[in-house]
Amino acid sequence: FKRPDDPPEYYHYYGIPALTTLGLYGAGTAAGTYPEIHSAAGTLAGLLCIGGIGGLSSQTTARLGAASGQAGVALGVASTFGHMSHD
C-alpha cells in the first residue's frame, strides 16, 4: 500500500543494469571471442539470486531483493540457453 505522503519510488530503474547485463552477454555470445562468458554469466546469475533471497529477508529491502532475484533468474535462463550447442 502506498500513502499519499510517501516519497516517490524509482524501483523501475533497477531494470536498466539488468537489461544492460543481458545485452552485453548477448553481444559477447554473438561475438564468440569470449568462451568464458557463459561461466561468468552463470556465476553472476547465482550471486544475484542469492542476493535476492538475502534481500527478501527484510521488508525494507524486499523490493530490491525481488528485483535482483528476477535479474538473476533472467540472466541464468539466458546463459543456459546461450550455452546450449546449436548442432
Side-chain angles (χ1 to χ4, degrees):
F1 297 101
K2 187 170 179 172
R3 297 174 296 222
D5 59 340
D6 283 345
E9 297 176 345
Y10 300 103
Y11 291 108
H12 55 280
Y13 289 126
Y14 288 129
I16 294 171
L19 291 175
T20 303
T21 303
L22 285 170
L24 289 174
Y25 172 72
T29 302
T33 57
Y34 305 105
E36 67 278 353
I37 196 164
H38 304 296
S39 299
T43 302
L44 180 60
L47 290 173
L48 283 170
C49 287
I50 291 171
I53 293 170
L56 291 173
S57 66
S58 170
Q59 287 186 353
T60 57
T61 59
R63 290 189 186 224
L64 176 61
S68 79
Q70 290 170 0
V73 170
L75 184 60
V77 169
S79 68
T80 300
F81 286 143
H83 197 350
M84 296 170 69
S85 68
H86 303 313
D87 295 341

